Amino acid sequence: MTGTSVSPAVAGRGSSTPGGTPPAPERNGAARPRAGAGMRRTAALMVSPTLLVLGVVVLYPTIVALYNSLFGPRGLDPATGFIAETEPFVGWGNYTDIFGEAGERFFNAFWNTTFFTVVTVGLETVIGVTMALIMHKAFRGRGFVRAAILVPWAVPTAISGLLWRWIFNSDGIANALIGRQILWTTEGFHAKLAVIIAEVWKTAPFIGLLVLAGLQLIPKEVYEAARMDGASAPRRFWHVTLPLVKPALLVAVLFRVMDALRMFDLPYILVGAQKESVETLSMLAQNEASNVRFGPASAYAVILFVYVFLIALAFVRLLGADLVGDGGGWPRRRRRRRRGPAEVTA
């Protein structure tokens, strides 16, 4: 059995005295943990105001809504026959009611919310990327085109809803262009179509703006190398532009998905309240609260919060580090492999 030879120089490093006593720890090595702890404390102090604000505006209302969802609306007290002054405790009754009498309206609002999110975000992504490619090109009047494209996004949603309500009026511009008399702001699929058109017109420039910021970070040398390799324009877009702009595009899509799931003001102003064709979960919760049914309204708000949270969590977990441009999946911890004695002395 052969042993591993150790050079005298290497052996001398292990001890500072002939007896082999270990050397005293270096001061630099001892100061590093202190510096790391100080940096962590500084980072915690800098982040604490943001966490405090988030706790006040997000965590506290969520807890209050969850608490209120456990109580039912005021009504007649069966014991006394008078109207109860306090809201009765019903536990999870407001949540189980969605599978009973209130289920039809709830699931209709849930379907409308999901339908609007999928359709509008899909169209906005295609149109927004097209806008970004147009704004990225160098041509005369590019500044005017950029300003014109970004104007719809700068218009407040309430003003946008009133504008499109005038356009979709019975004697408005939309009917004059198509040559037919359509009641856009009533019940039916045409009401959904009106909301989709107005929403895409309003928010597609947002995706275009974020994608344009990603396009401006791509070096021109990459496109020149692709042209020298004989890549056509579609291949350059699919294999060069789209992968490099993917992080910005994913962030834009994530923001738009979370915003579309909370859609309220545009269909409320454009079409109106209590319209089965366009009623969303936010509109349903607002309608219940306006009718002094705070318990069911809080339950619908909590369900919407959980729905948005799960969609955002699934979006981030499936895409992982692509949101920050690393190109990999969900980050994995690296395991340190212990070195053997031969590797240390080599």
Side-chain angles (χ1 to χ4, degrees), residues 232-310:
S232 60
R235 291 180 63 87
R236 289 197 302 268
F237 170 77
W238 190 258
H239 296 285
V240 178
T241 303
L242 199 57
L244 293 179
V245 85
K246 184 180 178 182
L249 180 60
L250 292 179
V251 171
V253 172
L254 176 60
F255 285 169
R256 279 300 307 134
V257 166
M258 292 189 296
D259 193 28
L261 289 173
R262 299 179 290 106
M263 185 184 299
F264 168 79
D265 42 4
L266 184 62
Y268 187 86
I269 296 174
L270 177 58
V271 181
Q274 298 184 11
K275 295 294 183 65
E276 184 179 353
S277 301
V278 297
E279 189 176 45
T280 61
L281 288 175
S282 297
M283 297 174 65
L284 177 59
Q286 187 273 341
N287 182 256
E288 291 292 316
S290 63
N291 291 325
V292 202
R293 295 173 54 85
F294 299 110
S298 299
Y300 294 143
V302 170
I303 293 175
L304 178 59
F305 172 79
V306 174
Y307 186 34
V308 175
F309 176 77
L310 291 178

Side-chain angles (χ1 to χ4, degrees), residues 94-115:
N94 291 323
Y95 297 95
T96 58
D97 285 345
I98 65 175
F99 300 101
E101 297 179 358
E104 183 177 355
R105 188 178 180 187
F106 170 81
F107 286 109
N108 175 71
F110 184 85
W111 158 250
N112 289 336
T113 302
T114 307
F115 176 77

Side-chain angles (χ1 to χ4, degrees), residues 44-320:
L45 290 176
M46 296 179 68
V47 175
S48 57
T50 303
L51 296 179
L52 180 61
V53 172
L54 290 177
V56 172
V57 302
V58 176
L59 184 61
Y60 176 74
T62 304
I63 295 176
V64 172
L66 181 61
Y67 174 78
N68 291 334
S69 67
L70 303 179
F71 294 87
R74 298 178 182 179
L76 293 176
D77 189 355
T80 61
F82 295 98
I83 297 178
E85 297 181 357
T86 59
E87 297 178 349
F89 179 80
V90 296
W92 301 106
N94 291 323
Y95 297 95
T96 58
D97 285 345
I98 65 175
F99 300 101
E101 297 179 358
E104 183 177 355
R105 188 178 180 187
F106 170 81
F107 286 109
N108 175 71
F110 184 85
W111 158 250
N112 289 336
T113 302
T114 307
F115 176 77
F116 284 140
T117 301
V118 173
V119 175
T120 57
V121 174
L123 292 175
E124 290 163 9
T125 302
V126 176
I127 298 175
V129 171
T130 305
M131 289 180 175
L133 294 175
I134 294 174
M135 291 187 291
H136 187 61
K137 294 293 182 181
F139 57 90
R140 181 176 298 179
R142 181 176 63 173
F144 175 78
V145 174
R146 288 184 176 183
I149 289 178
L150 295 179
V151 163
W153 179 60
V155 176
T157 307
I159 304 300
S160 176
L162 292 175
L163 172 65
W164 282 98
R165 186 174 182 177
W166 174 72
I167 293 175
F168 287 120
N169 196 8
S170 59
D171 54 351
I173 301 175
N175 289 337
L177 291 176
I178 63 177
R180 294 181 58 185
Q181 195 74 11
I182 298 178
L183 301 178
W184 296 92
T185 58
T186 57
E187 292 285 0
F189 181 77
H190 44 270
K192 284 186 171 67
L193 186 59
V195 173
I196 291 172
I197 293 174
E199 179 72 9
V200 171
W201 177 85
K202 173 72 174 65
T203 53
F206 172 76
I207 295 182
L209 184 63
L210 293 187
V211 174
L212 176 62
L215 288 174
Q216 293 178 344
L217 298 177
I218 301 177
K220 296 181 179 179
E221 292 78 6
V222 178
Y223 292 105
E224 294 177 359
R227 291 191 190 96
M228 293 179 63
D229 291 339
S232 60
R235 291 180 63 87
R236 289 197 302 268
F237 170 77
W238 190 258
H239 296 285
V240 178
T241 303
L242 199 57
L244 293 179
V245 85
K246 184 180 178 182
L249 180 60
L250 292 179
V251 171
V253 172
L254 176 60
F255 285 169
R256 279 300 307 134
V257 166
M258 292 189 296
D259 193 28
L261 289 173
R262 299 179 290 106
M263 185 184 299
F264 168 79
D265 42 4
L266 184 62
Y268 187 86
I269 296 174
L270 177 58
V271 181
Q274 298 184 11
K275 295 294 183 65
E276 184 179 353
S277 301
V278 297
E279 189 176 45
T280 61
L281 288 175
S282 297
M283 297 174 65
L284 177 59
Q286 187 273 341
N287 182 256
E288 291 292 316
S290 63
N291 291 325
V292 202
R293 295 173 54 85
F294 299 110
S298 299
Y300 294 143
V302 170
I303 293 175
L304 178 59
F305 172 79
V306 174
Y307 186 34
V308 175
F309 176 77
L310 291 178
I311 293 296
L313 181 63
F315 198 97
V316 175
R317 289 299 298 266
L318 291 177
L319 298 174

